Amino acid sequence: MNLMSAAGCAPEFVSLLEEMMLAFRERNSFGIVQGVYPSDALGNFFLSDFDAYCELAEIMSARYVDDIYMGFASEAEARQGLAELIETLRKDGLHLNEYKSKIMPAHEVIQEETAIDRLFDEIREEIEDDDTYNRASPYGFEVEWEDEEDEAEAGNDDEDQLENAAVERLMDNIGDYANQEDQIEKFCLPILRSAQSESAVEHVLGKLKDKPHQTRLYFSYISTFVRTSQDVVGALEELVADDTVSDYQRMFLLAALVRARNVSRPTVNTALQWLQNRRVAKETRAMAAIFAAKHGVAQQKRTVRTSYEDEPSDYVRSAILFSAKYLTAVERKTCKRAWGGHTPINTLIAQTI
């Protein structure tokens, strides 16, 4: 909060944000729930001092939110740099995760990424040399009427098509690189998602259950096709019905299916069971409330609404209030009036739904 005040943020905004973060505070942690947009944005803001520290100290560094790489000329300098970093972060109330922090040679850090880049380049060259590859290009009289800007755009389209084709082929051949499967997925899936390519859908659906450590990556990709592919929706609904899927994955399943046009009533009933089961993680139960309120029939929506009073978690209660946006105007108004003042988070939600 001190950083935001020093940066010139309005006092009322800083105060409201502080109340919101305190509302998320639990016994062993505090701050905004990991994975939602504000956590990344505020994390980058909070670590801006670290970026300035590295720049002033002329330390080579790279950072993705709280994942930090720092480069030094020798192991001795790295150890000294690590000690100084610990003290620098401690001043802002931050502590390094000792299990994830280590000193390692630079070639080990870049080896895996370099190998993936090399695979991609090799496949790209194969495609360029492949006579059967259909490159998008103008033909006939169209060429005469193209100006330089059009030619540049056509060139960019060709480049994008070539890159996407190479990524798709790399994913198709992923079975040939068993030891690098995770790295290939991390490289390819964001590109295929941006290109709206369904070429990896079957692969991802087949791996969702068996590789929980890739959950966020998989759902970031697969959720792109929920609105357009009923096959994807059906496969995700089957996973909802699978008792062996973890709470963490259930949360992402429901978050993806919220975007679906239609889901089955049994899937909504399962979500309601999760909402009412106190042994299920509160993040999953919160998502279940939103999901059931959006896709449920009148009786199922009523079950969500009536769950509020007996719900012990303020986090889930806030989600139930948010889910009122999917109720009728009269019901929504009633929920806002009844629950909007219970917590600072509820006050914010009531103003937005």
Side-chain angles (χ1 to χ4, degrees):
M1 298 304 108
N2 292 336
L3 282 173
M4 298 189 71
S5 297
C9 293
E12 59 271 21
F13 177 78
V14 175
S15 176
L16 186 59
L17 181 61
E18 185 174 17
E19 289 182 9
M20 183 175 71
M21 295 184 73
L22 287 173
F24 279 113
R25 187 166 186 164
E26 299 178 357
R27 293 180 181 177
N28 300 318
S29 65
F30 59 91
I32 292 177
V33 177
Q34 182 181 9
V36 298
Y37 166 73
S39 67
D40 291 347
L42 291 173
N44 282 323
F45 180 84
F46 198 73
L47 285 169
S48 58
D49 273 2
F50 164 79
D51 298 332
Y53 161 76
C54 289
E55 185 175 354
L56 290 172
E58 297 184 345
I59 299 173
M60 292 186 297
S61 66
R63 179 177 65 80
Y64 179 74
V65 191
D66 61 346
D67 290 331
I68 300 170
Y69 291 88
M70 301 174 68
F72 297 91
S74 66
E75 183 176 346
E77 290 184 21
R79 293 189 181 281
Q80 178 64 27
L82 181 60
E84 293 175 357
L85 175 63
I86 291 172
E87 291 302 316
T88 299
L89 294 178
R90 187 173 293 169
K91 293 176 183 177
D92 287 330
L94 300 175
H95 303 277
L96 285 181
N97 186 326
E98 60 183 271
Y99 297 105
K100 294 183 179 180
S101 303
K102 59 183 177 180
I103 296 173
M104 57 193 300
H107 69 86
E108 291 184 14
V109 177
I110 65 175
Q111 186 174 16
E112 288 184 346
E113 296 301 326
T114 302
I116 301 302
D117 288 337
R118 191 180 302 116
L119 279 175
F120 174 75
D121 290 339
E122 289 174 359
I123 291 176
R124 180 190 174 105
E125 289 174 5
E126 288 178 9
I127 293 176
E128 284 185 301
D129 295 337
D130 188 350
D131 293 335
T132 64
Y133 171 65
N134 294 319
R135 182 186 301 274
S137 59
Y139 57 91
F141 65 86
E142 293 181 4
V143 177
E144 299 176 9
W145 295 97
E146 282 190 338
D147 57 24
E148 292 182 359
E149 184 175 342
D150 291 334
E151 290 178 0
E153 290 180 359
N156 290 336
D157 289 342
D158 287 348
E159 188 70 19
D160 290 343
Q161 282 199 346
L162 179 59
E163 178 174 298
N164 292 338
V167 170
E168 288 178 357
R169 186 171 296 186
L170 181 55
M171 277 299 300
D172 288 342
N173 297 329
I174 195 171
D176 297 336
Y177 312 102
N179 294 332
Q180 296 171 299
E181 184 173 281
D182 285 0
Q183 288 72 31
I184 291 175
E185 289 173 342
K186 290 176 182 177
F187 178 87
C188 293
L189 291 180
I191 297 174
L192 296 177
R193 179 181 185 274
S194 296
Q196 300 285 301
S197 170
E198 299 183 22
S199 60
V201 166
E202 185 176 352
H203 170 85
V204 169
L205 289 175
K207 297 289 185 178
L208 271 174
K209 181 180 173 182
D210 299 327
K211 297 176 67 175
H213 62 285
Q214 295 281 69
T215 293
R216 292 185 66 176
L217 175 68
Y218 285 162
F219 278 100
S220 176
Y221 171 75
I222 205 69
S223 62
T224 307
F225 311 104
V226 167
R227 289 188 64 82
T228 58
S229 173
Q230 195 57 38
D231 289 339
V232 170
V233 172
L236 296 182
E237 287 194 89
E238 288 181 10
L239 287 172
V240 169
D242 189 333
D243 292 336
T244 63
V245 173
S246 68
D247 269 2
Y248 180 66
Q249 290 176 306
R250 288 172 176 175
M251 177 182 67
F252 281 95
L253 276 169
L254 296 180
L257 286 170
V258 161
R259 304 177 62 185
R261 298 183 186 279
N262 296 289
V263 297
S264 67
R265 186 174 295 188
T267 299
V268 178
N269 284 333
T270 299
L272 289 174
Q273 291 172 11
W274 294 346
L275 170 62
Q276 296 170 332
N277 185 350
R278 305 290 165 75
R279 291 177 296 178
V280 173
K282 68 179 187 301
E283 293 82 4
T284 301
R285 294 198 295 118
M287 196 67 244
I290 297 170
F291 172 83
K294 179 178 181 182
H295 288 299
V297 296
Q299 182 179 358
Q300 292 169 323
K301 293 175 185 287
R302 191 179 306 113
T303 300
V304 174
R305 191 178 72 248
T306 56
S307 297
Y308 185 95
E309 295 301 333
D310 294 329
E311 175 54 52
S313 167
D314 285 343
Y315 184 89
V316 179
R317 279 187 161 200
S318 295
I320 294 173
L321 174 58
F322 178 81
S323 73
K325 67 181 292 186
Y326 300 114
L327 305 180
T328 65
V330 173
E331 290 174 318
R332 181 165 60 251
K333 185 176 181 180
T334 300
C335 293
K336 290 168 63 175
R337 185 169 56 245
W339 308 329
H342 285 181
T343 65
I345 295 296
N346 279 20
T347 301
L348 286 173
I349 292 173
Q351 294 173 1
T352 61
I353 62 173

